[in-house]
Amino acid sequence: EVQLLESGGGLVQPGGSLRLSCAASGFTFSTYAMSWVRQAPGKGLEWVSTITSGGGGTYYADSVKGRFTISRDTSKNTLYLQMNSLRAEDSAIYYCAKPYSSLIFFDYWGLGTLVTVSS
Amino acid sequence: DIQLTQSPSFLSASVGDRVTITCRASQGISSYLAWYQQKPGKAPKLLIYSASTLQSGVPSRFSGSGSGTEFTLTISSLQPEDFATYYCQQLNHYPLTFGGGTKVEIK
């Protein structure tokens, strides 16, 4: 059974940093690109970032480019999102998502971890 | 960036109604479109991919159609468990984008 378990969310001050983790199980992690998608309270879904299966390619939304870094550790079956220079508008539930195939639509999602950026 | 515009943004319907949601892309995306259902407090659930392919386990009352710039999600007979918010997503180009969502509520 595919499972994605996010952790690392919490309350952080503007300008601060946070690292999110997503522990994956139930599938061959090393063969799938992985993504982060966020949802601000009461708002819609926003794609944040994707990393290729081998980790050599990364893609970011313009809203986070230069501040967030996606990475993965295949030995630990874990996906990460390093978030720096956080802003109030980064407050959201962050979901880890697995694509169905080489096409990046998502057949499995984690439960999400809440990030709140506030002083 | 490819913008996805969903309409309507809000829909009030009764059990048994036929419901259609539209997603329009700002440029052609072939059939690289997916639809998701999200209930309050839950992660999104994949319903349809490649514009018209039903994800395994999804009831056949859900269907998708379209290509290029105009797509539709149809629920043939709305059931109580279908009251939720629906999103489209394009996967043709980065940045990946989602539509603004359509909330389906009980009339």
Side-chain angles (χ1 to χ4, degrees), chain A residues 33-78:
Chain A
M34 294 293 294
S35 298
W36 291 97
V37 177
R38 69 184 181 184
Q39 186 169 36
K43 302 296 185 182
L45 300 170
E46 180 187 16
W47 170 78
V48 173
S49 182
T50 296
I51 186 168
T52 57
S53 57
T58 57
Y59 305 87
Y60 298 95
D62 285 346
S63 58
V64 307
K65 201 172 295 182
R67 301 186 298 122
F68 290 12
T69 303
I70 191 172
S71 62
R72 63 193 300 160
D73 185 335
T74 300
S75 68
K76 295 181 178 179
N77 282 359
T78 301

Side-chain angles (χ1 to χ4, degrees), chain B:
Chain B
D1 297 1
I2 297 174
Q3 312 300 321
L4 297 180
T5 303
Q6 281 184 241
S7 60
S9 55
F10 176 86
L11 188 159
S12 181
S14 301
V15 172
D17 283 353
R18 180 182 182 89
V19 166
T20 298
I21 298 168
T22 298
C23 178
R24 289 187 174 87
S26 59
Q27 63 190 80
I29 58 171
S30 185
S31 296
Y32 294 111
L33 189 99
W35 289 97
Y36 301 88
Q37 176 194 67
Q38 188 179 33
K39 296 182 178 179
K42 301 292 188 181
K45 173 187 174 183
L46 177 66
L47 297 176
I48 286 169
Y49 60 92
S50 299
S52 60
T53 303
L54 199 64
Q55 170 68 342
S56 176
V58 174
S60 59
R61 63 181 179 273
F62 291 92
S63 64
S65 65
S67 67
T69 62
E70 186 147 340
F71 303 85
T72 59
L73 171 69
T74 299
I75 309 172
S76 60
S77 177
L78 201 64
Q79 297 302 300
E81 59 268 30
D82 300 338
F83 291 95
T85 301
Y86 294 84
Y87 295 93
C88 56
Q89 178 224 332
Q90 68 81 19
L91 46 140
N92 192 50
H93 285 300
Y94 286 104
L96 307 180
T97 48
F98 290 88
T102 296
K103 187 174 185 178
V104 178
E105 289 200 341
I106 301 172
K107 183 183 284 185

Side-chain angles (χ1 to χ4, degrees), chain A:
Chain A
E1 179 193 3
V2 172
Q3 289 194 346
L4 300 169
L5 184 61
E6 303 94 338
S7 60
L11 175 63
V12 61
Q13 292 188 339
S17 298
L18 216 51
R19 188 176 85 155
L20 306 184
S21 300
C22 171
S25 61
F27 65 103
T28 307
F29 180 73
S30 61
T31 64
Y32 288 88
M34 294 293 294
S35 298
W36 291 97
V37 177
R38 69 184 181 184
Q39 186 169 36
K43 302 296 185 182
L45 300 170
E46 180 187 16
W47 170 78
V48 173
S49 182
T50 296
I51 186 168
T52 57
S53 57
T58 57
Y59 305 87
Y60 298 95
D62 285 346
S63 58
V64 307
K65 201 172 295 182
R67 301 186 298 122
F68 290 12
T69 303
I70 191 172
S71 62
R72 63 193 300 160
D73 185 335
T74 300
S75 68
K76 295 181 178 179
N77 282 359
T78 301
L79 175 71
Y80 301 101
L81 186 67
Q82 177 67 43
M83 305 186 296
N84 299 330
S85 303
L86 282 162
R87 306 167 180 167
E89 54 265 35
D90 295 318
S91 296
I93 296 172
Y94 284 73
Y95 294 103
C96 166
K98 169 194 167 293
Y100 178 84
S101 65
S102 58
L103 298 176
I104 309 300
F105 57 88
F106 309 111
D107 59 349
Y108 286 95
W109 299 65
L111 297 178
T113 187
L114 178 63
V115 172
T116 303
V117 184
S118 175
S119 55

